[in-house]
Amino acid sequence: MVINLITFASILHKQTTVRSSHEVILTELEKYFTVNFIDYKDINKLSPNDFSILFIATGGVERLVIQHFESLPRPAILLADGMQNSLAAALEISSWLRGRGMKSEILHGELSEIIKRIFVLHSNFKAQRNLFGMRIGVIGSPSSWLIASNVDYLLAKRRWGVEYTDIPLERIYEYYGQITDDEVGEACAELAGNALACREASPEDMIKAMRLYRAIKKVVEEEKLSAITLSCFRMIEQTGTTGCLALALLNDEGIIAGCEGDLQSIFTMLITKVLTGKSTFMANPSMINARTNEIVLAHCTVGIKQAEKFIIRNHFETESGIGIQGILPTGDVTIVKCGGECLDEYYLSTGTLTENTNYINMCRTQVRIKMNTPAEYFLKNPLGNHHILLHGNYEIMLDEFLQSNGCKRI
């Protein structure tokens, strides 16, 4: 791992003195990282893909830093060990930067804590860079009932670097019509063979759903998409099937795929995958008990690899196509949702998945969660309908990343 130390030192201090004055911290950094020392005059030689820290080596450099304000890495990470009045200068600089809307943080204190913090900050930096240029395909349009889940494409691109791109359903229909039953027969048989059971759905339903998966995947590859959100309900009339199986299989392949054209939820699923490497379950909060802090999350699709076992069902609302009833592992989970038109708000909590439920009047995959925070959030101040479940406790990691990007926690 490479870090660039952009060194700000007063002209009153010789370079050899600067090194000897900070020998302890610099030697420790070099044990863990490849350290490039960059003179502040060469700051423009660094690219946005270079992980950089402002090394405040002495006092009296406040003016030097603000003169290079436009070229500073964002957010600004300042390293100051306190020698040569460096901490005093870092405090002044940090205050000035924050007053101009730039997030900044000072690394100071125990060396072991500084090292750990640099690893966290580098992880956030990598996630931000990975997001930049990712394309989210909006196949069709958001469902009409998602009245609080809009995203301003331009503001999202400015804040996060992700690009939403609209794709007409007609492209899916065209490819769907070109795929024959014979092309997907083997894949259908393999999937059915791996299922715990097949209930309401027929072999014909399976073939249609697998053809739809192939059609969507072809568009994903042509458009070089990192994620898609699908206008599921609109395509039932044309294809006679739902997108539940397609979304499950795409998520298993690492292509983030969400339902109902929900623009906010698909972004949440994307950043969660970028940060943790894990796929997620997008679901409706279907039952809430504020007294016991329990909720039931349910939806008709989930990545099969997220489940311990799965049952092939039909889609709950329409009683058509293929739905997936996943039996998910119990244990620690994280619930997260990004909201706001420019994706600058978020809800985040942890809990325990205690059981897989099987209510007849809910979507096929159902899980009960014992929340670690008040469940009344969902009743008093929710960020829309769909929320995202992630196995494991990733609260600190997600909170750190979203806070570093200036988001407000609800």
Side-chain angles (χ1 to χ4, degrees):
M1 175 176 151
V2 177
I3 60 173
N4 297 283
L5 283 187
I6 303 170
T7 307
F8 288 88
S10 168
I11 58 173
L12 300 177
H13 295 77
K14 296 180 180 179
Q15 194 64 36
T16 53
T17 307
V18 169
R19 175 76 202 203
S20 61
S21 299
H22 305 283
E23 189 67 38
V24 174
I25 192 169
L26 296 179
T27 300
E28 190 69 12
L29 287 176
E30 289 170 335
K31 289 180 184 177
Y32 296 91
F33 314 111
T34 300
V35 180
N36 295 329
F37 293 91
I38 310 294
D39 187 273
Y40 71 90
K41 296 173 185 174
D42 297 324
I43 192 171
N44 287 321
K45 294 180 180 179
L46 295 170
S47 79
N49 293 319
D50 293 315
F51 179 64
S52 303
I53 294 174
L54 307 182
F55 178 34
I56 309 302
T58 72
V61 298
E62 293 85 348
R63 289 284 170 191
L64 291 178
V65 174
I66 67 175
Q67 286 168 10
H68 291 81
F69 175 70
E70 295 299 331
S71 302
L72 297 178
R74 286 158 169 76
I77 307 165
L78 286 68
L79 175 66
D81 60 2
M83 302 297 108
Q84 304 287 348
N85 287 325
S86 58
L87 180 59
L91 292 166
E92 190 75 10
I93 293 165
S94 179
S95 178
W96 188 89
L97 292 175
R98 288 198 316 275
R100 280 137 191 89
M102 184 190 291
K103 289 187 70 70
S104 69
E105 177 178 341
I106 299 171
L107 300 178
H108 176 79
E110 296 178 10
L111 292 178
S112 60
E113 293 302 311
I114 289 175
I115 298 299
K116 285 197 292 186
R117 186 64 184 152
I118 289 175
F119 276 112
V120 170
L121 292 169
H122 183 262
S123 176
N124 287 344
F125 173 79
K126 279 182 62 181
Q128 287 171 323
R129 296 311 303 165
N130 288 338
L131 277 175
F132 190 83
M134 282 190 167
R135 287 163 54 79
I136 299 174
V138 183
I139 301 178
S141 58
S143 296
S144 60
W145 51 85
L146 295 178
I147 58 175
S149 301
N150 294 328
V151 167
D152 185 303
Y153 288 11
L154 180 59
L155 292 178
K157 187 171 184 178
R158 285 178 178 172
R159 172 178 282 275
W160 297 103
V162 299
E163 180 182 350
Y164 285 87
T165 180
D166 291 323
I167 297 168
L169 284 170
E170 284 70 26
R171 280 184 65 183
I172 304 297
Y173 301 153
E174 179 184 353
Y175 292 147
Y176 176 81
Q178 294 171 0
I179 298 166
T180 66
D181 293 356
D182 290 342
E183 289 180 70
V184 299
E186 187 176 338
C188 291
E190 183 180 356
L191 183 71
N194 291 330
L196 180 63
C198 298
R199 297 212 174 139
E200 304 90 350
S202 68
E204 183 184 2
D205 292 329
M206 178 74 83
I207 286 172
K208 288 181 179 179
M210 193 66 75
R211 286 172 57 200
L212 182 59
Y213 153 70
R214 294 280 179 90
I216 294 171
K217 187 174 179 181
K218 187 170 183 179
V219 170
V220 167
E221 291 170 347
E222 287 178 350
E223 295 289 337
K224 296 180 172 57
L225 302 175
S226 301
I228 65 151
T229 182
L230 182 64
S231 183
C232 329
F233 286 83
R234 284 183 56 200
M235 62 172 44
I236 294 174
E237 212 173 283
Q238 185 78 19
T239 64
T241 190
T242 61
C244 304
L245 178 63
L247 301 181
L249 296 178
L250 289 169
N251 276 307
D252 283 350
E253 295 173 3
I255 299 161
I256 314 306
C259 318
E260 301 173 39
D262 189 329
L263 306 176
Q264 296 176 2
S265 290
I266 193 60
F267 175 78
T268 309
M269 296 171 76
L270 179 62
I271 65 164
T272 303
K273 181 64 179 288
V274 168
L275 278 167
T276 69
K278 286 194 168 186
S279 297
T280 52
F281 173 42
M282 170 184 170
N284 302 322
S286 297
M287 292 180 68
I288 297 164
N289 188 324
R291 182 181 61 82
T292 62
N293 286 330
E294 289 181 305
I295 65 172
V296 172
L297 297 176
H299 235 202
C300 280
T301 185
V302 65
I304 292 169
K305 290 182 179 178
Q306 295 177 48
E308 293 180 329
K309 300 174 183 178
F310 72 98
I311 301 168
I312 296 174
R313 305 286 304 273
N314 63 2
H315 181 246
F316 165 64
E317 286 98 334
T318 62
E319 297 185 346
S320 63
I322 296 290
I324 302 296
Q325 182 177 359
I327 311 302
L328 305 188
T330 57
D332 292 343
V333 294
T334 304
I335 310 295
V336 61
K337 173 68 179 289
C338 295
E341 287 203 355
C342 57
L343 300 166
D344 59 351
E345 299 178 315
Y346 67 103
Y347 167 78
L348 178 62
S349 184
T350 56
T352 304
L353 196 161
T354 58
E355 66 170 320
N356 290 266
T357 59
N358 196 23
Y359 295 103
I360 62 172
N361 291 317
M362 287 186 194
C363 294
R364 301 311 186 189
T365 297
Q366 307 169 17
V367 291
R368 189 185 306 280
I369 311 295
K370 174 73 172 179
M371 302 294 294
N372 293 332
T373 54
E376 64 181 12
Y377 146 79
F378 293 97
L379 302 176
K380 292 187 175 181
N381 197 27
L383 280 178
N385 168 23
H386 297 126
H387 281 65
I388 309 304
L389 179 147
L390 169 69
H391 288 281
N393 187 333
Y394 291 91
E395 181 177 13
I396 293 174
M397 177 187 286
L398 289 165
D399 191 55
E400 172 73 42
F401 177 74
L402 292 164
Q403 284 290 318
S404 71
N405 282 279
C407 297
K408 177 185 176 184
R409 186 168 182 173
I410 300 298

